[in-house]
Coordinates of all heavy atoms in Angstrom, one line a residue:
M93 N 0.8 -1.2 0.0 CA 0.0 0.0 0.0 C 0.9 1.2 0.0 O 1.9 1.3 0.8 CB -0.9 -0.1 1.2 CG -1.8 1.2 1.3 SD -2.9 0.9 2.7 CE -4.3 1.8 2.2
D94 N 0.5 2.2 -0.8 CA 1.2 3.5 -0.9 C 1.0 4.2 0.4 O -0.2 4.5 0.8 CB 0.7 4.3 -2.1 CG 1.5 5.6 -2.3 OD1 2.4 5.8 -1.5 OD2 1.1 6.3 -3.2
P95 N 2.1 4.7 1.1 CA 1.9 5.5 2.3 C 1.0 6.7 2.1 O 0.3 7.2 3.0 CB 3.3 5.8 2.8 CG 4.2 4.8 2.1 CD 3.4 4.4 0.9
A96 N 1.1 7.3 0.9 CA 0.4 8.5 0.6 C -1.1 8.2 0.6 O -2.0 9.1 0.7 CB 0.8 9.1 -0.7
A97 N -1.5 7.0 0.4 CA -2.9 6.6 0.3 C -3.7 6.8 1.6 O -4.9 7.0 1.7 CB -3.1 5.2 -0.2
T98 N -2.9 6.8 2.7 CA -3.5 7.0 4.0 C -3.3 8.4 4.6 O -3.7 8.7 5.7 CB -3.0 5.9 5.0 OG1 -1.6 6.0 5.2 CG2 -3.4 4.5 4.6
A99 N -2.5 9.2 3.9 CA -2.2 10.5 4.4 C -3.4 11.4 4.3 O -4.4 11.1 3.5 CB -1.1 11.2 3.6
T100 N -3.5 12.4 5.2 CA -4.7 13.3 5.3 C -4.4 14.7 5.2 O -5.2 15.5 5.5 CB -5.5 12.9 6.6 OG1 -4.7 13.1 7.7 CG2 -6.0 11.5 6.5
G101 N -3.1 15.1 4.9 CA -2.8 16.5 4.9 C -3.4 17.3 3.7 O -3.9 16.7 2.7
P102 N -3.3 18.7 3.8 CA -3.8 19.4 2.7 C -3.2 19.2 1.3 O -3.9 19.2 0.3 CB -3.5 20.9 3.2 CG -3.3 20.8 4.6 CD -2.8 19.4 4.9
S103 N -1.9 18.9 1.3 CA -1.3 18.6 0.0 C -1.8 17.3 -0.5 O -1.9 17.1 -1.8 CB 0.2 18.7 0.1 OG 0.7 17.7 0.9
T104 N -2.0 16.3 0.3 CA -2.6 15.0 -0.1 C -4.0 15.2 -0.7 O -4.2 14.7 -1.8 CB -2.6 14.0 1.0 OG1 -1.3 13.9 1.5 CG2 -3.2 12.7 0.6
F105 N -4.8 15.9 -0.1 CA -6.1 16.2 -0.5 C -6.1 16.9 -1.9 O -6.9 16.7 -2.8 CB -7.0 17.0 0.5 CG -7.4 16.2 1.7 CD1 -7.2 16.7 2.9 CD2 -8.0 15.0 1.5 CE1 -7.6 15.9 4.0 CE2 -8.4 14.2 2.6 CZ -8.2 14.7 3.8
A106 N -5.2 17.9 -2.0 CA -5.1 18.6 -3.3 C -4.7 17.7 -4.4 O -5.2 17.8 -5.5 CB -4.1 19.8 -3.1
A107 N -3.7 16.8 -4.1 CA -3.2 15.9 -5.1 C -4.4 15.0 -5.6 O -4.6 14.6 -6.7 CB -2.1 15.1 -4.6
R108 N -5.2 14.5 -4.6 CA -6.3 13.6 -4.9 C -7.3 14.3 -5.7 O -7.9 13.7 -6.6 CB -6.9 13.0 -3.6 CG -6.0 12.0 -2.9 CD -6.6 11.5 -1.6 NE -5.6 10.6 -0.9 CZ -5.7 10.3 0.4 NH1 -6.8 10.8 1.1 NH2 -4.9 9.5 0.9
R109 N -7.6 15.6 -5.4 CA -8.6 16.3 -6.1 C -8.1 16.5 -7.6 O -8.9 16.3 -8.5 CB -8.8 17.7 -5.5 CG -9.9 17.7 -4.5 CD -10.3 19.2 -4.1 NE -9.2 20.0 -3.7 CZ -8.7 20.1 -2.5 NH1 -9.2 19.4 -1.5 NH2 -7.7 20.9 -2.2
E110 N -6.8 16.7 -7.8 CA -6.3 16.9 -9.1 C -6.4 15.6 -9.9 O -6.7 15.6 -11.0 CB -4.8 17.3 -9.0 CG -4.2 17.6 -10.3 CD -4.8 18.7 -11.2 OE1 -5.5 19.5 -10.6 OE2 -4.7 18.6 -12.4
H111 N -6.0 14.5 -9.2 CA -6.2 13.2 -9.9 C -7.6 12.8 -10.2 O -7.8 12.3 -11.3 CB -5.6 12.0 -9.0 CG -4.1 11.9 -9.1 ND1 -3.3 11.9 -8.0 CD2 -3.2 12.0 -10.1 CE1 -2.0 11.8 -8.3 NE2 -2.0 11.9 -9.6
L112 N -8.6 13.2 -9.4 CA -9.9 13.0 -9.7 C -10.4 13.9 -10.9 O -11.1 13.3 -11.8 CB -10.8 13.4 -8.5 CG -12.3 13.2 -8.6 CD1 -12.7 11.7 -9.0 CD2 -13.1 13.6 -7.4
K113 N -9.9 15.1 -10.9 CA -10.2 16.0 -12.1 C -9.7 15.4 -13.4 O -10.3 15.3 -14.4 CB -9.6 17.4 -11.8 CG -9.8 18.3 -12.9 CD -9.1 19.7 -12.6 CE -9.1 20.6 -13.8 NZ -8.4 21.8 -13.5
L114 N -8.5 14.9 -13.3 CA -7.8 14.2 -14.5 C -8.6 13.0 -14.9 O -8.8 12.7 -16.1 CB -6.4 14.0 -14.3 CG -5.4 15.2 -14.0 CD1 -4.0 14.7 -13.7 CD2 -5.4 16.0 -15.3
A115 N -9.0 12.2 -13.9 CA -9.7 11.0 -14.2 C -11.0 11.3 -14.9 O -11.4 10.6 -15.9 CB -10.0 10.2 -12.9
V116 N -11.7 12.3 -14.5 CA -13.0 12.8 -15.1 C -12.7 13.2 -16.5 O -13.5 12.9 -17.4 CB -13.7 13.9 -14.3 CG1 -14.8 14.5 -15.1 CG2 -14.2 13.3 -13.0
Q117 N -11.7 13.9 -16.8 CA -11.3 14.4 -18.1 C -11.0 13.2 -19.0 O -11.4 13.1 -20.1 CB -10.1 15.3 -18.1 CG -10.5 16.7 -17.5 CD -9.3 17.6 -17.3 OE1 -8.1 17.1 -17.5 NE2 -9.5 18.8 -17.0
A118 N -10.2 12.2 -18.5 CA -9.9 11.0 -19.2 C -11.1 10.2 -19.5 O -11.2 9.7 -20.7 CB -8.8 10.2 -18.5
L119 N -12.0 10.0 -18.6 CA -13.3 9.3 -18.9 C -14.0 10.0 -20.0 O -14.6 9.3 -20.9 CB -14.1 9.2 -17.7 CG -13.8 8.0 -16.7 CD1 -14.6 8.1 -15.5 CD2 -14.0 6.7 -17.4
A120 N -14.1 11.3 -19.9 CA -14.8 12.0 -21.0 C -14.2 11.9 -22.3 O -14.9 12.0 -23.4 CB -14.8 13.5 -20.6
A121 N -12.9 11.6 -22.4 CA -12.3 11.5 -23.7 C -12.5 10.1 -24.4 O -12.2 9.9 -25.5 CB -10.8 11.7 -23.5
L122 N -13.0 9.1 -23.6 CA -13.2 7.8 -24.1 C -14.5 7.7 -24.8 O -15.5 8.4 -24.5 CB -13.3 6.8 -22.9 CG -12.0 6.7 -22.1 CD1 -12.2 5.6 -21.0 CD2 -10.8 6.2 -23.0
P123 N -14.6 6.8 -25.8 CA -15.9 6.5 -26.4 C -16.9 6.0 -25.3 O -16.5 5.4 -24.4 CB -15.6 5.4 -27.4 CG -14.1 5.5 -27.6 CD -13.5 6.0 -26.3
P124 N -18.1 6.3 -25.6 CA -19.2 5.9 -24.6 C -19.1 4.4 -24.2 O -19.2 4.1 -23.0 CB -20.5 6.1 -25.3 CG -20.2 7.2 -26.3 CD -18.8 6.9 -26.7
R125 N -18.9 3.5 -25.1 CA -18.7 2.0 -24.8 C -17.6 1.8 -23.8 O -17.7 1.1 -22.8 CB -18.6 1.2 -26.0 CG -18.6 -0.3 -25.7 CD -18.6 -1.1 -27.0 NE -18.7 -2.5 -26.8 CZ -17.7 -3.4 -26.8 NH1 -16.5 -2.9 -27.2 NH2 -17.8 -4.6 -26.6
D126 N -16.4 2.4 -24.1 CA -15.3 2.3 -23.2 C -15.6 2.8 -21.8 O -15.2 2.3 -20.8 CB -14.0 2.9 -23.8 CG -13.5 2.1 -24.9 OD1 -13.9 1.0 -25.2 OD2 -12.5 2.7 -25.6
R127 N -16.2 4.0 -21.8 CA -16.6 4.7 -20.5 C -17.4 3.7 -19.7 O -17.2 3.5 -18.5 CB -17.3 5.9 -20.8 CG -17.0 7.0 -20.0 CD -17.7 8.4 -20.3 NE -18.6 8.4 -21.3 CZ -18.5 9.0 -22.6 NH1 -17.3 9.5 -22.9 NH2 -19.4 9.0 -23.5
D128 N -18.4 3.1 -20.4 CA -19.3 2.1 -19.6 C -18.5 0.9 -19.2 O -18.7 0.4 -18.0 CB -20.4 1.6 -20.6 CG -21.4 2.8 -20.8 OD1 -21.4 3.8 -20.0 OD2 -22.2 2.5 -21.7
L129 N -17.6 0.4 -19.9 CA -16.8 -0.8 -19.6 C -15.8 -0.5 -18.4 O -15.6 -1.4 -17.7 CB -16.1 -1.3 -20.8 CG -17.0 -2.0 -21.8 CD1 -16.2 -2.3 -23.1 CD2 -17.5 -3.4 -21.2
V130 N -15.4 0.7 -18.4 CA -14.4 1.1 -17.3 C -15.2 1.1 -16.0 O -14.6 0.7 -14.9 CB -13.9 2.5 -17.6 CG1 -13.2 3.0 -16.3 CG2 -12.8 2.5 -18.7
K131 N -16.5 1.3 -16.0 CA -17.2 1.5 -14.8 C -17.6 0.1 -14.1 O -17.6 -0.1 -12.9 CB -18.5 2.3 -15.0 CG -18.1 3.7 -15.3 CD -19.4 4.5 -15.6 CE -19.2 5.9 -16.1 NZ -20.3 6.6 -16.4
S132 N -18.0 -0.9 -14.9 CA -18.3 -2.2 -14.2 C -18.2 -3.3 -15.3 O -18.0 -3.0 -16.5 CB -19.7 -2.2 -13.6 OG -20.7 -2.3 -14.6
T133 N -18.5 -4.5 -15.0 CA -18.4 -5.7 -16.0 C -19.5 -6.6 -16.1 O -20.1 -6.7 -17.2 CB -17.1 -6.5 -15.6 OG1 -16.0 -5.6 -15.6 CG2 -16.9 -7.5 -16.7
S134 N -20.0 -7.2 -15.0 CA -21.0 -8.2 -15.1 C -22.3 -7.8 -15.7 O -22.9 -8.3 -16.6 CB -21.2 -9.0 -13.8 OG -21.7 -8.1 -12.9
E135 N -22.9 -6.7 -15.2 CA -24.1 -6.1 -15.7 C -23.9 -5.5 -17.1 O -24.8 -5.6 -17.9 CB -24.7 -5.1 -14.7 CG -23.9 -3.9 -14.5 CD -24.3 -3.1 -13.3 OE1 -24.9 -3.7 -12.3 OE2 -24.3 -1.8 -13.4
D136 N -22.7 -5.1 -17.4 CA -22.4 -4.6 -18.7 C -22.4 -5.7 -19.7 O -22.8 -5.5 -20.9 CB -21.0 -3.9 -18.7 CG -21.0 -2.6 -18.0 OD1 -22.1 -2.0 -17.9 OD2 -19.9 -2.2 -17.5
A137 N -22.0 -6.8 -19.3 CA -22.0 -8.0 -20.3 C -23.4 -8.2 -20.8 O -23.7 -8.3 -22.0 CB -21.4 -9.3 -19.6
E138 N -24.3 -8.3 -19.9 CA -25.7 -8.5 -20.2 C -26.3 -7.3 -21.0 O -26.9 -7.5 -22.1 CB -26.5 -8.7 -19.0 CG -28.0 -9.0 -19.2 CD -28.8 -9.3 -18.0 OE1 -28.2 -9.8 -17.0 OE2 -30.0 -9.0 -18.0
R139 N -26.0 -6.1 -20.5 CA -26.5 -4.9 -21.2 C -26.0 -4.8 -22.7 O -26.7 -4.3 -23.6 CB -26.2 -3.7 -20.4 CG -26.8 -2.3 -20.9 CD -26.5 -1.2 -20.0 NE -25.1 -1.1 -19.5 CZ -24.1 -0.6 -20.2 NH1 -24.4 -0.1 -21.4 NH2 -22.9 -0.5 -19.7
L140 N -24.7 -5.1 -22.8 CA -24.0 -4.9 -24.2 C -24.2 -6.1 -25.0 O -23.8 -6.2 -26.2 CB -22.6 -4.6 -24.0 CG -22.2 -3.3 -23.3 CD1 -20.7 -3.3 -23.0 CD2 -22.7 -2.1 -24.2
G141 N -24.8 -7.2 -24.5 CA -25.1 -8.4 -25.2 C -23.8 -9.2 -25.5 O -23.6 -9.9 -26.5
L142 N -22.9 -9.2 -24.5 CA -21.6 -9.9 -24.6 C -21.6 -11.0 -23.5 O -22.3 -11.0 -22.5 CB -20.5 -8.9 -24.3 CG -20.3 -7.8 -25.2 CD1 -19.2 -6.8 -24.7 CD2 -19.9 -8.2 -26.6
R143 N -20.8 -12.0 -23.8 CA -20.5 -13.0 -22.8 C -19.6 -12.3 -21.7 O -19.0 -11.4 -22.0 CB -19.7 -14.2 -23.4 CG -20.5 -15.1 -24.3 CD -19.7 -16.3 -24.7 NE -18.3 -16.3 -24.4 CZ -17.4 -16.0 -25.4 NH1 -17.7 -15.7 -26.6 NH2 -16.1 -15.9 -25.1
Y144 N -19.7 -12.9 -20.5 CA -18.9 -12.3 -19.4 C -17.5 -12.2 -19.8 O -16.8 -11.1 -19.6 CB -19.1 -13.1 -18.1 CG -18.3 -12.5 -17.0 CD1 -18.7 -11.4 -16.2 CD2 -17.1 -13.1 -16.6 CE1 -18.0 -10.9 -15.2 CE2 -16.3 -12.6 -15.6 CZ -16.7 -11.5 -14.9 OH -15.9 -11.0 -13.9
D145 N -16.9 -13.2 -20.3 CA -15.4 -13.3 -20.6 C -15.1 -12.2 -21.7 O -14.1 -11.5 -21.6 CB -15.0 -14.6 -21.2 CG -15.0 -15.7 -20.1 OD1 -15.0 -15.4 -18.9 OD2 -15.2 -16.9 -20.5
A146 N -16.0 -12.0 -22.7 CA -15.8 -11.0 -23.7 C -15.9 -9.6 -23.1 O -15.1 -8.7 -23.4 CB -16.9 -11.1 -24.8
A147 N -16.8 -9.4 -22.2 CA -17.0 -8.1 -21.5 C -15.8 -7.8 -20.7 O -15.3 -6.7 -20.6 CB -18.3 -8.0 -20.7
K148 N -15.3 -8.8 -20.0 CA -14.1 -8.7 -19.2 C -12.8 -8.3 -20.0 O -12.1 -7.3 -19.7 CB -13.7 -10.0 -18.5 CG -12.7 -9.9 -17.4 CD -12.7 -11.2 -16.6 CE -11.5 -11.2 -15.6 NZ -11.4 -12.4 -14.9
Q149 N -12.7 -8.9 -21.1 CA -11.6 -8.6 -22.1 C -11.8 -7.1 -22.6 O -10.8 -6.3 -22.7 CB -11.4 -9.5 -23.2 CG -10.8 -10.8 -22.8 CD -9.4 -10.7 -22.3 OE1 -8.7 -9.8 -22.7 NE2 -9.0 -11.5 -21.4
A150 N -13.0 -6.8 -23.0 CA -13.3 -5.4 -23.5 C -13.0 -4.4 -22.5 O -12.5 -3.3 -22.7 CB -14.7 -5.4 -24.0
R151 N -13.4 -4.7 -21.2 CA -13.1 -3.8 -20.1 C -11.6 -3.6 -19.9 O -11.2 -2.5 -19.7 CB -13.8 -4.4 -18.8 CG -13.6 -3.5 -17.7 CD -14.3 -4.0 -16.4 NE -14.3 -3.1 -15.3 CZ -13.3 -3.0 -14.4 NH1 -12.3 -3.8 -14.5 NH2 -13.4 -2.1 -13.4
L152 N -10.8 -4.7 -20.0 CA -9.4 -4.5 -19.8 C -8.8 -3.6 -20.9 O -7.9 -2.7 -20.7 CB -8.7 -5.9 -19.9 CG -8.9 -6.8 -18.7 CD1 -8.3 -8.1 -18.8 CD2 -8.4 -6.1 -17.4
R153 N -9.3 -3.8 -22.2 CA -8.8 -2.9 -23.2 C -9.3 -1.5 -23.0 O -8.5 -0.5 -23.2 CB -9.4 -3.4 -24.6 CG -8.7 -4.7 -25.1 CD -9.0 -5.0 -26.5 NE -10.4 -5.2 -26.7 CZ -11.1 -6.4 -26.6 NH1 -10.4 -7.4 -26.1 NH2 -12.4 -6.5 -26.7
A154 N -10.5 -1.3 -22.5 CA -11.0 0.1 -22.2 C -10.2 0.7 -21.1 O -9.9 1.9 -21.2 CB -12.5 0.0 -21.9
L155 N -9.8 -0.1 -20.1 CA -9.1 0.5 -19.0 C -7.7 0.9 -19.5 O -7.1 1.9 -19.1 CB -8.9 -0.6 -17.9 CG -10.1 -0.7 -17.0 CD1 -10.0 -1.9 -16.1 CD2 -10.4 0.6 -16.2
G156 N -7.1 0.1 -20.4 CA -5.8 0.5 -21.0 C -5.9 1.8 -21.8 O -5.0 2.6 -21.6
R157 N -7.0 2.0 -22.5 CA -7.1 3.3 -23.2 C -7.4 4.4 -22.2 O -7.0 5.5 -22.4 CB -8.3 3.1 -24.2 CG -7.9 2.2 -25.4 CD -9.0 2.3 -26.5 NE -10.2 1.6 -26.1 CZ -10.4 0.3 -26.5 NH1 -9.6 -0.5 -27.1 NH2 -11.6 -0.2 -26.1
F158 N -8.2 4.1 -21.1 CA -8.4 5.1 -20.1 C -7.0 5.6 -19.4 O -6.8 6.8 -19.3 CB -9.3 4.5 -19.0 CG -9.4 5.4 -17.8 CD1 -10.1 6.6 -17.8 CD2 -8.7 5.0 -16.6 CE1 -10.2 7.4 -16.7 CE2 -8.8 5.9 -15.5 CZ -9.6 7.1 -15.6
R159 N -6.2 4.6 -19.2 CA -4.9 5.0 -18.6 C -4.1 5.9 -19.5 O -3.5 6.8 -19.1 CB -4.1 3.7 -18.3 CG -4.6 2.9 -17.1 CD -3.7 1.7 -16.7 NE -4.4 1.0 -15.7 CZ -5.0 -0.2 -16.0 NH1 -5.0 -0.7 -17.2 NH2 -5.6 -0.9 -15.0
K160 N -4.1 5.5 -20.8 CA -3.4 6.4 -21.8 C -4.0 7.8 -21.8 O -3.3 8.8 -21.9 CB -3.5 5.7 -23.1 CG -2.6 4.6 -23.3 CD -2.6 4.0 -24.7 CE -1.9 2.6 -24.8 NZ -2.0 2.0 -26.0
A161 N -5.4 7.9 -21.8 CA -6.0 9.1 -21.8 C -5.7 9.9 -20.6 O -5.5 11.1 -20.6 CB -7.5 9.0 -22.0
F162 N -5.7 9.2 -19.4 CA -5.3 9.9 -18.1 C -3.9 10.4 -18.2 O -3.7 11.6 -17.8 CB -5.4 8.9 -17.0 CG -5.2 9.4 -15.7 CD1 -6.2 10.1 -15.0 CD2 -4.0 9.3 -15.1 CE1 -6.0 10.6 -13.7 CE2 -3.7 9.9 -13.8 CZ -4.7 10.5 -13.1
D163 N -3.0 9.7 -18.8 CA -1.6 10.1 -18.8 C -1.5 11.3 -19.7 O -0.7 12.2 -19.5 CB -0.6 9.0 -19.3 CG -0.4 7.9 -18.3 OD1 -0.7 8.2 -17.1 OD2 0.0 6.8 -18.7
L164 N -2.3 11.3 -20.8 CA -2.2 12.5 -21.7 C -2.8 13.7 -21.1 O -2.4 14.8 -21.4 CB -3.0 12.1 -23.0 CG -2.3 11.2 -23.9 CD1 -3.2 10.8 -25.1 CD2 -1.0 11.7 -24.5
A165 N -3.7 13.5 -20.1 CA -4.4 14.6 -19.6 C -3.5 15.3 -18.5 O -3.7 16.4 -18.1 CB -5.7 14.2 -18.9
K166 N -2.5 14.6 -18.0 CA -1.6 15.2 -17.0 C -0.9 16.4 -17.5 O -0.4 16.6 -18.5 CB -0.6 14.1 -16.6 CG -1.1 13.1 -15.7 CD 0.0 12.1 -15.2 CE -0.5 11.0 -14.3 NZ 0.5 10.1 -13.9

């Protein structure tokens, strides 16, 4: 566990707020299907008409694209 994850000082809160802002921007940059897949999996499989395994793989790809979008937003 990262020691900063349990820190509670003003600079920690500011950094977390900034990361949250970047995460929202990165999510907004993704296509709607990727955005949905980043959020959950099992109910998405049914909603998107995919098998669970296919939804899980699609979610992993969507998360990879989210990470790239997040890094670009920094």
Side-chain angles (χ1 to χ4, degrees):
M93 180 178 209
D94 181 6
T98 59
T100 58
S103 64
T104 301
F105 287 130
R108 289 179 184 162
R109 271 193 307 275
E110 182 62 23
H111 280 130
L112 181 59
K113 180 181 168 185
L114 293 174
V116 169
Q117 290 173 350
L119 274 173
L122 295 177
R125 183 172 184 260
D126 284 356
R127 222 177 1 254
D128 289 344
L129 287 166
V130 167
K131 293 177 185 177
S132 77
T133 303
S134 63
E135 60 192 39
D136 289 335
E138 184 176 329
R139 186 174 49 79
L140 295 170
L142 301 171
R143 289 187 343 260
Y144 177 79
D145 293 336
K148 190 174 175 181
Q149 285 299 328
R151 183 177 188 272
L152 290 174
R153 288 191 301 274
L155 283 170
R157 289 189 289 267
F158 170 74
R159 286 183 192 103
K160 287 179 185 177
F162 184 83
D163 287 341
L164 290 173
K166 284 186 182 180

